């Protein structure tokens, strides 16, 4: 396959497998001879590290989360994503702005989708967004109860899932059912991506 810069985001609810599938996709595309840069949000910046800590803390106000995710994204975009795209890499990001739009607006009635978009307006739209979909009851059953983060709650994730699906329909994102075995899900993702890259 021939390389050209391209920005792919794999997003979806907790436990849908965004990290596993981003990494498998990166391995597959590298095997095809393409230059891949795999990354994730929260990023590895100091803000990203703080956000990981806050994911365990229910006392953090939702607007603080929203502003920090946007700050982390601005660093991530300008210092990493943009420069790698300029160098001709294919970026695969495990989560991006769609995570903020969905999670932070579901977190609080005081947070509108419009406001989340506004504070993230510097971040360019990906070329391709794939939403992994799974029933939260299934995804959370795979996790140990002691290590759960603050968003890993079935009632909350039901609302998050509903909004991901609604936005996917509005925005024309690809939705892949992640309830099947990993190989099948990955094969579907690879097909979507290769078709798009070859377009
Ligand atoms: P993960 O890396 O295990 O998917 O966890 C990241 C968590 O952070 C997940 O619960 C989704 C949440 N999150 C937001 O709420 N907003 C965001 O903008 C991002 C990137 C993640």
């Amino acid at each position: 396959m021939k390389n050209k810069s391209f920005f792919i985001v794999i997003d979806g609810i907790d436990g849908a497998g965004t990290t596993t599938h981003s990494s498998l996709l990166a391995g597959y595309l590298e095997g095809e001879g393409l230059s891949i840069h795999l990354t994730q949000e929260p990023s590895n910046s100091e803000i990203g590290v703080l956000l990981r800590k806050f994911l365990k803390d229910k006392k953090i106000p939702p607007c603080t989360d929203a502003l920090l995710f946007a700050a982390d994204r601005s660093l991530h975009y300008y210092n990493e994503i943009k420069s790698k795209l300029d160098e001709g890499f294919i970026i695969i990001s495990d989560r991006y702005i769609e995570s903020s739009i969905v999670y932070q607006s579901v977190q609080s009635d005081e947070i509108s989708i419009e406001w989340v978009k506004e504070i993230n307006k510097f971040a360019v739209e990906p070329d391709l967004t794939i939403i992994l979909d799974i029933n939260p009851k299934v995804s959370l059953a795979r996790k140990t109860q002691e290590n759960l983060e603050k968003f890993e709650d079935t009632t909350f994730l039901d609302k998050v899932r509903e909004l991901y699906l609604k936005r996917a329909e509005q925005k024309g994102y690809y939705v892949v059912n992640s309830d099947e075995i990993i190989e099948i899900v990955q094969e579907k993702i690879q097909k979507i991506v290769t078709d798009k890259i070859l377009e």
Side-chain angles (χ1 to χ4, degrees), residues 14 18 41-42 52 55 69 73 95-96 99-100 103-104 149 151:
D14 286 81
T18 60
E41 291 191 353
R52 291 262 169 219
L55 285 172
F69 277 116
R73 185 162 300 116
R95 300 191 176 280
Y96 190 59
S99 281
S100 281
Y103 277 81
Q104 274 61 67
E149 291 172 343
F151 298 142

Side-chain angles (χ1 to χ4, degrees), residues 11-15 18-19 40-43 51-52 55 65-66 68-70 72-73 94-104 107 116 120 143 149-152 156-157 160 164:
D11 220 311
I13 68 164
D14 286 81
T18 60
T19 306
Q40 80 291 315
E41 291 191 353
S43 79
L51 276 164
R52 291 262 169 219
L55 285 172
D65 274 336
L68 283 175
F69 277 116
D72 183 46
R73 185 162 300 116
D94 169 7
R95 300 191 176 280
Y96 190 59
I97 188 171
E98 206 56 43
S99 281
S100 281
I101 290 176
V102 175
Y103 277 81
Q104 274 61 67
Q107 240 186 314
V116 179
N120 282 280
K143 304 225 168 189
E149 291 172 343
K150 66 183 174 193
F151 298 142
E152 292 177 323
F156 177 76
L157 288 181
V160 167
Y164 265 122

Side-chain angles (χ1 to χ4, degrees), residues 7-145:
F7 184 11
I8 304 164
V9 170
I10 312 271
D11 220 311
I13 68 164
D14 286 81
T18 60
T19 306
T20 304
H21 285 291
S22 298
S23 162
L24 287 171
L25 178 65
Y28 166 73
L29 293 175
E30 265 163 3
E32 294 292 313
L34 298 171
S35 303
I36 305 300
H37 181 73
L38 175 62
T39 186
Q40 80 291 315
E41 291 191 353
S43 79
N44 292 326
S45 76
E46 286 171 49
I47 306 172
V49 172
L50 179 64
L51 276 164
R52 291 262 169 219
K53 200 169 131 209
F54 283 2
L55 285 172
K56 302 271 183 198
D57 188 343
K58 290 193 173 155
K59 293 193 304 298
I60 305 300
C63 60
T64 306
D65 274 336
L67 291 165
L68 283 175
F69 277 116
D72 183 46
R73 185 162 300 116
S74 64
L75 262 179
H76 188 210
Y77 176 71
Y78 286 112
N79 288 3
E80 190 175 333
I81 296 175
K82 186 175 182 312
S83 46
K84 288 288 175 189
L85 285 172
D86 290 346
E87 286 172 43
F89 278 81
I90 293 176
I91 306 279
I92 301 173
S93 186
D94 169 7
R95 300 191 176 280
Y96 190 59
I97 188 171
E98 206 56 43
S99 281
S100 281
I101 290 176
V102 175
Y103 277 81
Q104 274 61 67
S105 73
V106 171
Q107 240 186 314
S108 164
D109 289 343
E110 286 168 8
I111 297 185
S112 69
I113 290 177
E114 286 316 310
W115 180 68
V116 179
K117 281 189 192 160
E118 182 66 21
I119 60 172
N120 282 280
K121 68 178 179 195
F122 55 84
V124 299
E125 294 251 339
D127 297 303
L128 172 65
T129 299
I130 299 175
I131 306 296
L132 301 185
D133 181 50
I134 192 164
N135 183 329
K137 283 197 189 69
V138 176
S139 68
L140 290 186
R142 294 173 182 167
K143 304 225 168 189
T144 49
Q145 292 302 307

Side-chain angles (χ1 to χ4, degrees), residues 141-199:
R142 294 173 182 167
K143 304 225 168 189
T144 49
Q145 292 302 307
E146 311 83 71
N147 292 329
L148 289 185
E149 291 172 343
K150 66 183 174 193
F151 298 142
E152 292 177 323
D153 162 88
T154 316
T155 313
F156 177 76
L157 288 181
D158 274 335
K159 292 186 195 149
V160 167
R161 180 189 192 195
E162 202 180 306
L163 187 53
Y164 265 122
L165 294 177
K166 184 173 162 199
R167 287 197 43 87
E169 205 178 319
Q170 286 168 348
K171 303 269 297 177
Y173 297 149
Y174 289 85
V175 177
V176 174
N177 175 12
S178 180
D179 199 359
E180 299 186 79
I181 59 168
I182 287 183
E183 290 77 6
I184 306 260
V185 177
Q186 180 58 206
E187 221 172 89
K188 289 184 184 164
I189 294 172
Q190 288 171 4
K191 167 106 179 59
I192 294 169
V193 170
T194 43
D195 285 355
K196 275 279 164 193
I197 290 177
L198 294 177
E199 235 173 34

